[in-house]
């Protein structure tokens, strides 16, 4: 190893993805190979945003969703700056300027600024993205600890929460709030909830399930405005949501769940290319020099190849899922600090692969108790669909196939979209074991069993204990000792009328003892029939 | 008059009585049987006497035996029994030879290896099946007579990961830190990767109370006989994809933290490191765990809640309360086995289970003396009493007991897999002694091990049958079986038991203690070597005194009265320790340690197209490599050959029907086995038992990749291809 000066790495943003990067870089920080600065705009270090809805309904505590400990990081030598934002990036001088006027130099800069909630265009709300922190009382997004506290207050007193938006985060929050005792209405504009992630049949099944869980579902609704109740002392408080058709829905809290928007302002200001997110290559580079990187919700992976499967999907933008963000963080850490080969485990690969592996279109799993929904990939294909362009000459690409099971009465629905037996998409509602198995097979790209019903049956009622007729005398009755039905029957007939006596004669029942009740049954049956035969019973 | 001893096989060490056939005086389980004394007034039966076995009432097996135990005496009079040393001649065949010549030849081979390559060219491979006395003297023999650091044992294949995790968390490793009977009243038992219904059937009786309470939770990719015990409302079966146990445990622990189920008071008072573990768990919410393991999120939650409920009930003083978490080889025999066991321990600490009278964490030791075998210096890094060989104070203590200078003790050697990899290699072992182990069948990547054995200058195997390993040897020394010897065993609870002689050994077989004594004399070893087990145990007591596994207060007199249960640590003047950690854990500050762990990659890349994941395991009828049980007619008739278990949906496109011969292969080897179609296994997984040899040996397919902490090999996730060889009935 050479003894060059440690590299200065600055990380802007301290959410879950940044926290993972910091964790991965920590050994290099401890070894003095890296000087690490991380700047978070919230006063708390990273916490698990996935669990903010749980926090909002009082199921967990801020402490329990922490992902980082600022003191511990500082003790390890990380420069942790909380409650600070970065005003601008001075690329020529390789330094960042903070809102307190201070400057931090960097050799490498990682943007992990995440995404903020979208504020919909509604009369009464300021649509400026920067105004999301200035929402009026009774209106909130659900992204950070302060949002969670607002939701918690309403849920705690059993108030009425109106969730605006039928996306996955909105539905999760709605289910959690309903289960914790709030009255919940979900207002969304599609014909079914989760319209972006789920097909028609699955969505209809899910809608029924949500209603059964006590949620008021207002579908196909366009909301136009927000009404406020004047309050003494200034700011008005949320009173009702107004719909285009003239309806108004009164409530205590309006929870905006209308999607997220990557925070790209800082990158834009620095002249970095931006589309929906900060544009990065497959090596997560935001600039040509490979000095600035972007990861997580703020980053949009895009290369020059329009057919590239590894880029963010059509329609673009970051996935908004934590898994890909964490994989980016892990990959980038290996890229920034090539691993010490001596630290590699058995068979472990050292160093980062040339470029980040492509992500499959993400899996959506509804995070809720007692309501089970999974979807992934292409879900829109329907039974009997003729696929355009398939089945033609060449024929090297097998056609897309759909297998489906629907039982709306019992809230069960599954669709498997396959090509060559491998899942391209799936929807599964109300069948948790099937969902778990399908998601596993989807993630691995494994071929499904040709008998697709093997998968449906995973959620079948457990097989009842066998009530078969008379047992084969040669079949073993006692697994542990191998004693057979015939041997036991013979012993019983020969005068062994207690389990102990049968055990002495045949060993049956002397292992785990699990068959003793059956031995007792056989003895009783024998005594009864013997008694009947002699007329003494 | 029957002799009271314990079964030769697994770590449950079922109490049994041995008597000449037809002379079993008192039926098992009666009061008079209990009153029978341990010693046999009349002395052992004459050589060649046919014995029979019966269960004996004891807290662990409650009079029960499984088929292996019932039939165990058969092997004493087996025609395949070795009764004379065998030396490989110039013709390449093994020929009978006298004991003096055999021992001279062995000593000569050691000296030759010393002279040509140095003392570390001599190696010893021991066993978790050896008595404490043999294990202890073998460690001493390696270091003082063979003067080598190169000793390790087959326990490295089974217990090392759980042991490493236990030491890391609690400061001490005793498989079960509580008596087995404590399980009887438990409300919830989480059993991970252990198939006790097949491996140690009498154990299952201790799960009945939990099953009655609906609280048995079994984690296994197969619906094993044990997993089937959860049916009918008696519990839950979680069926994760192989190699994902760690993620599953993190998910359960996540729910415990997030749903406020953790025992905060316990964590605050008795542990260290909670915050960092809680933070790391944060990343493993149930739906994410589901996507990795295939276990539905709701079952992850239910498991967490059930465990917490059991702990809560126990704290509230309810009789049917308490939660136990038990791990077995299924979750431990992985490249991340130590971390997986650690995750199970972390979960138990979050719930406040260890170090209480009502709940706990334990690992189910497998081999007969798998516990004692890891305490007395058979491990490459250890000295007697579970002392570290690198600890100067430990070296000084043991050297003093042995009457040598500390610097006469070699340093740490190589763990088993590394030791076997070094066979015949430059700088590696050239002359190997194998005691009580059949590594040609039981070691991972067995084909490579076999090649290693064949490249040795000299291989000596001590065994009582011609095992597959013995068949490779230059010299085979016939030794005693369990019913022919005296000694002690330490069962899965850490309770020391007496093994007693019931029959005089056949003429020509010798005790391993005597063999070591003879060779030590021929090699000019310092200190004392004995052929008397009690003499050795007396020295073991002193050598272990003050160590973690302290036996100094135990003697044969105490053990001969089974009413005094001898749980170690048992320092002189104490009454032993049935339950560990009630006051404090064994770290200096008395606190248990949380250690944050996270899943890594499996050693083989899994789930590539056309490949299945092989898991290996046991059958009820066989034990270990099968060297013994395959030679018992009743057991061999019941399970004559391995069967490849696979899901019908998997078999269908492969054209494999029930009973067809299949070939299972990967780049390490090829195995042939008859197919058994079953919906009890996941479609992505196939199962082979590892008790068979030759082209039926499952370990031809397993890999020698090891856990970085424990040196434990990866037995449970091997990528394989399966094809049909021959349809059933086609010949």
């Amino acid at each position: 190893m050479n003894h060059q000066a440690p590299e200065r790495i600055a990380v802007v943003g301290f959410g879950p993805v940044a926290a993972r990067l910091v964790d991965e870089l920590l050994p290099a920080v401890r070894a003095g190979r890296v000087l690490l600065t991380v700047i978070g705009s919230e006063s708390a270090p990273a916490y698990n945003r996935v669990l903010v809805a749980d926090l909002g309904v009082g199921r967990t505590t801020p402490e329990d969703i922490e992902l980082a400990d600022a003191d511990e990081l500082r003790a390890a030598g990380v420069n942790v700056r909380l409650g600070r934002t970065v005003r601008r990036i001075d690329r020529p001088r390789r330094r960042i300027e903070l809102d307190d006027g201070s400057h931090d130099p960097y050799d490498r800069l990682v943007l992990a600024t995440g995404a903020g909630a979208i504020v919909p265009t509604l009369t009464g709300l300021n649509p400026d993205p920067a105004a999301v922190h200035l929402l009026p009382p009774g209106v909130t997004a659900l992204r950070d600890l302060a949002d969670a506290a607002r939701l918690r207050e309403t849920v705690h007193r059993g108030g009425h929460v109106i969730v605006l938006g039928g996306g996955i985060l909105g539905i999760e929050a709605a289910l959690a709030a309903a289960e914790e005792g709030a009255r919940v209405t979900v207002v969304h504009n599609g014909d079914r909830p989760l319209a972006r992630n789920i097909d028609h049949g699955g969505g209809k099944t899910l809608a029924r399930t949500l209603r059964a869980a006590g949620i008021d579902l207002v579908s196909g609704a366009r909301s136009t405005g927000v009404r406020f109740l004047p309050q003494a002392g200034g700011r008005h408080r949320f009173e009702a949501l107004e719909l285009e058709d003239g309806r108004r829905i009164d409530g205590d809290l309006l929870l905006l769940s209308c999607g997220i928007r990557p925070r790209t302002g800082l990158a834009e200001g620095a002249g970095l290319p931006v589309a929906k997110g900060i544009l990065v290559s497959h090596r997560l580079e935001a600039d040509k020099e490979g000095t600035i990187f972007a990861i997580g919700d703020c980053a949009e992976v895009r290369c020059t190849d329009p057919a590239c499967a590894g880029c963010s999907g059509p329609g673009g933008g970051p996935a908004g899922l934590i898994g890909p963000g964490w994989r980016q963080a892990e990959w980038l850490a290996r890229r920034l600090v090539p691993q010490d080969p001596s630290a590699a485990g058995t068979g472990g690969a050292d160093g980062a692969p040339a470029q980040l592996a492509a992500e499959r279109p993400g899996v959506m799993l509804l995070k809720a108790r007692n309501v089970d929904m999974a979807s992934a990939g292409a879900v829109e294909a329907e039974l009997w669909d003729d696929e355009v362009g398939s089945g033609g000459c060449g024929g090297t690409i097998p056609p897309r196939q759909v297998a489906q099971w629907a039982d709306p009465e019992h809230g069960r629905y599954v669709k498997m979209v396959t090509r060559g037996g491998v899942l391209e998409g799936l929807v599964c509602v109300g069948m948790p074991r099937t969902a778990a198995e399908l998601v596993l097979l989807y993630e691995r790209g494994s071929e499904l069993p040709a008998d697709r019903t093997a998968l449906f049956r995973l959620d079948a009622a457990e097989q009842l204990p066998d009530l078969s007729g008379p047992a084969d005398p040669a079949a073993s009755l006692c697994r542990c000792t191998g004693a057979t039905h015939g041997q036991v029957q013979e012993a019983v007939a020969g005068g062994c009328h207690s389990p102990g006596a049968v055990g002495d004669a045949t060993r049956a029942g002397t292992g785990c003892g699990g068959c003793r009740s059956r031995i007792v049954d056989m003895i009783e049956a024998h005594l009864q029939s013997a008694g009947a035969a002699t007329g003494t019973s | 008059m029957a002799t009271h001893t314990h079964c030769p096989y697994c770590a449950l060490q079922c109490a049994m009585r041995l008597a000449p056939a037809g002379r079993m005086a008192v039926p098992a389980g009666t009061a008079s049987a209990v009153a029978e004394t341990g010693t046999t007034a009349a002395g052992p039966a004459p050589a060649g006497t046919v014995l029979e076995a019966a269960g004996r009432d004891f807290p662990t097996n409650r009079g029960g035996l499984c088929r292996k135990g019932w039939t165990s005496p058969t092997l004493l009079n087996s025609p395949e029994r070795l009764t004379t040393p065998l030396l490989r001649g110039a013709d390449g065949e093994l020929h009978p030879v006298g004991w003096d010549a055999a021992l001279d030849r062995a000593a000569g081979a050691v000296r030759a290896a010393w002279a040509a390559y140095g003392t570390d060219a001599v190696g010893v491979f021991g066993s978790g099946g050896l008595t404490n006395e043999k294990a202890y003297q073998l460690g001493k023999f390696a270091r003082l007579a063979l003067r080598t650091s190169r000793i390790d044992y087959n326990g490295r294949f089974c217990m090392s990961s759980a042991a490493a995790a236990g030491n890391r968390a609690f400061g001490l490793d005793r498989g079960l830190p509580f008596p087995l009977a404590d399980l009887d009243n438990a409300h919830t038992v989480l059993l991970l990767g252990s198939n006790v219904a097949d491996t140690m059937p009498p154990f299952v009786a201790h799960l009945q109370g939990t099953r009655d309470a609906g609280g048995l939770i079994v984690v296994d990719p197969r619906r094993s006989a044990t997993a089937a015990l959860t049916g009918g409302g008696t519990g839950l079966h979680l069926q994760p994809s192989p190699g994902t146990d760690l993620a599953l445990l993190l998910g359960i622990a996540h729910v415990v933290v997030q749903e406020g189920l953790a025992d905060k008071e316990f964590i605050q008072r008795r542990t260290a490191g909670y915050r960092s573990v809680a933070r790391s768990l944060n990343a493993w919410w149930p739906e994410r765990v589901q996507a990795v393991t295939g276990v539905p999120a709701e079952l992850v939650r239910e498991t967490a809640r059930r465990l917490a409920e059991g702990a809560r009930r126990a704290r509230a003083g309810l009789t049917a309360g308490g939660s136990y978490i038990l791990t077995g080889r299924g979750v431990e025999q992985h490249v991340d086995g130590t971390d997986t066991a650690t995750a199970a321990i972390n979960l138990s600490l979050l719930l406040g289970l260890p170090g209480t009278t009502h709940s706990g964490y334990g690992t189910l030791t497998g081999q007969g003396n798998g516990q004692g075998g890891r305490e007395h210096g058979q491990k490459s890094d250890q000295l007697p009493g579970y002392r570290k060989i690198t600890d100067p104070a430990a070296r000084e203590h043991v050297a003093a007991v042995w009457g040598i200078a500390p610097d006469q003790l070699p340093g740490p050697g190589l763990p088993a897999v590394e030791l076997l990899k070094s066979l015949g290699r430059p700088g590696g072992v050239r002359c190997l002694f194998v005691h009580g182990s059949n590594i040609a069948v039981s070691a991972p990547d067995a084909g490579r091990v076999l090649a290693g054995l064949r490249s040795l200058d000299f291989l000596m195997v001590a065994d009582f049958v011609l095992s597959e390993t013995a068949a490779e040897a230059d010299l085979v020394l016939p030794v005693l079986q369990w019913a022919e010897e005296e000694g002690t065993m330490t069962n899965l609870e850490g309770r020391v038991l007496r093994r007693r002689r019931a029959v005089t050994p056949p003429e020509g077989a010798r005790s391993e203690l005597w063999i070591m004594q003879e060779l030590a004399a021929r090699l000019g070893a310092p200190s004392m070597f004995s052929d008397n087990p009690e003499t050795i145990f007396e020295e073991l007591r002193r050598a272990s005194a003050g160590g973690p596994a302290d036996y100094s207060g135990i003697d044969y007199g105490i053990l001969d009265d089974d009413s005094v249960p001898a749980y170690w640590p048992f320092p002189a003047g104490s009454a032993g320790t049935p339950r560990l950690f009630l006051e404090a854990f064994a770290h200096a500050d008395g606190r248990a340690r949380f250690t944050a762990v996270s899943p890594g990659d499996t050693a083989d890349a899994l789930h590539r197209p056309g490949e299945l994941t092989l898991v290996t395991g046991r059958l009820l009828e066989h034990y270990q490599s099968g060297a013994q049980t395959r030679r018992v007619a009743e057991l061999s008739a019941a399970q004559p050959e391995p069967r490849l278990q696979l899901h019908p949906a998997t078999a269908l496109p492969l054209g494999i029907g029930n009973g067809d011969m299949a070939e299972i292969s990967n780049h390490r080897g090829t195995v042939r086995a008859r197919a058994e179609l079953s919906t009890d296994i996941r479609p992505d997984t196939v199962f082979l038992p590892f008790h068979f040899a030759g082209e039926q040996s499952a370990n031809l397919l397993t890999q020698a990749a090891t856990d970085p902490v424990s040196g434990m090999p990866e037995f449970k996730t091997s990528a394989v291809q399966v094809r049909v060889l021959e349809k059933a009935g086609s010949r």
Side-chain angles (χ1 to χ4, degrees), chain A residues 48 59-60 63-66 68-69 72 322 326 346 365 367 369 436-437 440 444 479-480 507 510 512, chain B residues 64-65 67 70 198 201 241 258-259 275 279 282-283 285 287-288 291-292 294 607 634 682 684 706:
Chain A
N48 191 348
R59 282 179 179 167
T60 185
E63 187 186 50
D64 284 340
I65 68 168
E66 276 175 15
D69 181 325
E72 224 173 87
I322 202 158
W326 278 347
T346 315
L365 294 171
K367 219 171 69 46
R369 301 177 184 173
E437 195 62 33
L440 205 62
R444 292 175 186 163
R479 286 190 73 254
C480 305
R507 302 179 194 161
T510 60
C512 72
Chain B
L65 289 180
R67 207 167 184 180
W70 279 110
D198 279 337
S241 186
Q258 293 299 324
E259 297 197 355
R275 281 311 313 163
R279 275 200 305 277
N282 222 312
W285 58 93
E287 286 75 12
R288 184 173 180 224
V292 173
H607 316 302
E634 180 181 332
R682 295 178 48 86
D684 56 9
T706 55

Side-chain angles (χ1 to χ4, degrees), chain B residues 227-292:
Chain B
L229 294 174
T230 64
T234 56
L236 289 177
H237 175 205
L238 312 185
Q239 215 168 349
S241 186
T244 65
D245 308 301
L246 179 47
L248 177 64
L249 283 162
L250 296 177
I252 298 168
H254 170 98
V255 176
V256 168
V257 172
Q258 293 299 324
E259 297 197 355
L261 304 173
D263 186 343
K264 291 270 168 62
E265 190 272 333
F266 176 94
I267 291 167
Q268 196 271 329
R269 192 166 49 85
R270 302 207 53 188
T271 70
Y274 166 74
R275 281 311 313 163
S276 73
V277 163
R279 275 200 305 277
S280 71
L281 290 174
N282 222 312
W284 292 95
W285 58 93
E287 286 75 12
R288 184 173 180 224
V289 169
Q290 167 180 326
V292 173

Side-chain angles (χ1 to χ4, degrees), chain B residues 597-614:
Chain B
V597 291
S598 60
D601 293 333
T602 49
D604 261 1
L606 300 178
H607 316 302
R608 287 180 299 207
E611 289 185 348
L612 295 163
T613 303
L614 169 73

Side-chain angles (χ1 to χ4, degrees), chain B residues 325-644:
Chain B
I325 299 175
L326 305 174
T327 58
R329 305 304 82 73
V331 298
E332 295 163 8
Q333 287 176 330
H334 293 287
V335 288
D336 61 0
T338 303
D339 283 353
T340 305
T342 296
I345 292 172
N346 285 346
L347 175 60
S348 73
L349 291 172
L350 288 172
L351 292 162
L353 311 183
T356 67
T357 52
H358 55 71
S359 294
Y361 162 81
T363 177
L364 298 177
T365 298
Q367 288 194 82
N369 198 26
Q371 180 69 54
R374 66 188 193 256
E375 299 165 359
H376 302 303
Q378 232 188 143
K379 283 171 90 166
S380 61
D381 49 359
Q382 273 186 12
L383 290 171
Y386 226 137
R387 288 181 154 92
K388 288 195 177 75
I389 201 166
T390 49
D391 172 7
R395 295 171 65 86
E396 206 163 304
H397 174 86
V398 173
V401 173
W402 289 352
I404 56 164
D407 59 12
Q408 282 178 270
L409 284 173
L414 295 175
V417 174
E418 300 307 312
L419 180 72
L420 295 179
K421 279 182 183 170
S422 86
L423 299 184
R425 299 284 182 83
V429 166
R430 302 285 184 154
C431 167
L432 181 69
F433 285 15
V434 178
H435 293 263
S437 190
N438 190 9
I439 43 182
V441 177
S442 64
D445 202 353
R448 222 168 94 175
V449 170
L450 205 53
L453 292 175
R454 288 173 183 165
S455 71
L456 289 168
D457 295 352
F458 184 78
L459 172 63
M460 190 285 280
V461 176
D463 210 325
F464 46 80
V465 291
L466 195 67
S467 70
E468 287 73 17
T469 307
E472 299 294 325
D474 298 290
L475 178 65
V476 183
L477 300 182
V479 295
L480 306 188
Q481 292 195 50
W482 100 110
E484 298 158 354
E485 65 183 8
E486 300 279 338
T488 62
M489 304 283 277
T490 305
N491 76 357
L492 79 176
E493 309 169 297
R495 177 173 176 178
V496 186
L497 308 169
R498 272 285 270 124
R499 170 179 279 193
R500 297 190 185 89
R501 172 183 296 189
V503 62
T504 305
E507 182 60 35
R510 294 282 191 279
S511 110
E512 273 154 298
L513 297 177
W514 178 82
I515 293 169
M516 288 181 236
Q517 184 187 34
E518 289 291 314
L519 284 174
R522 279 169 172 76
L523 294 168
S527 193
M528 182 277 291
F529 289 86
S530 171
D531 64 350
N532 182 317
E534 190 165 5
T535 306
I536 296 168
F537 192 83
E538 288 300 308
E539 188 182 275
L540 183 160
R541 290 176 62 186
R542 288 187 287 124
S544 74
D550 186 333
Y551 282 39
S552 59
I554 306 173
D555 61 33
Y556 275 26
I558 286 176
L559 296 176
D560 281 335
D561 181 356
D562 276 339
S563 64
V564 181
Y567 293 93
W568 72 257
F570 200 132
S574 79
T577 316
R579 290 174 194 82
L580 282 166
F581 315 134
L582 292 181
E583 303 297 322
F585 293 99
H587 288 299
D589 61 2
R591 287 172 179 269
R593 298 279 181 280
F594 279 104
T595 305
V597 291
S598 60
D601 293 333
T602 49
D604 261 1
L606 300 178
H607 316 302
R608 287 180 299 207
E611 289 185 348
L612 295 163
T613 303
L614 169 73
V615 297
T616 61
R618 295 166 190 270
L619 300 173
L620 189 149
E621 291 81 0
H622 288 292
Y623 181 67
Q624 305 287 83
S625 75
Q628 296 167 73
T629 48
R630 279 185 275 125
R631 291 176 164 88
V632 174
E634 180 181 332
L635 301 177
S636 178
Q639 295 284 359
E641 58 175 12
R643 294 199 169 236
L644 175 76

Side-chain angles (χ1 to χ4, degrees), chain A residues 5 37 75-76 94 99 129 193 217 263 290-291 309 318 329 348 388 432 478 491 521 528 537:
Chain A
T37 299
R94 293 198 173 180
D99 57 352
L217 205 55
R263 294 196 187 95
T291 303
V388 179
C478 175
D521 289 349
Q528 270 179 15
S537 82

Side-chain angles (χ1 to χ4, degrees), chain B residues 104 106-116 122 521-524:
Chain B
D104 288 346
V110 170
R111 279 199 212 88
W114 281 352
V122 181
R522 279 169 172 76
L523 294 168

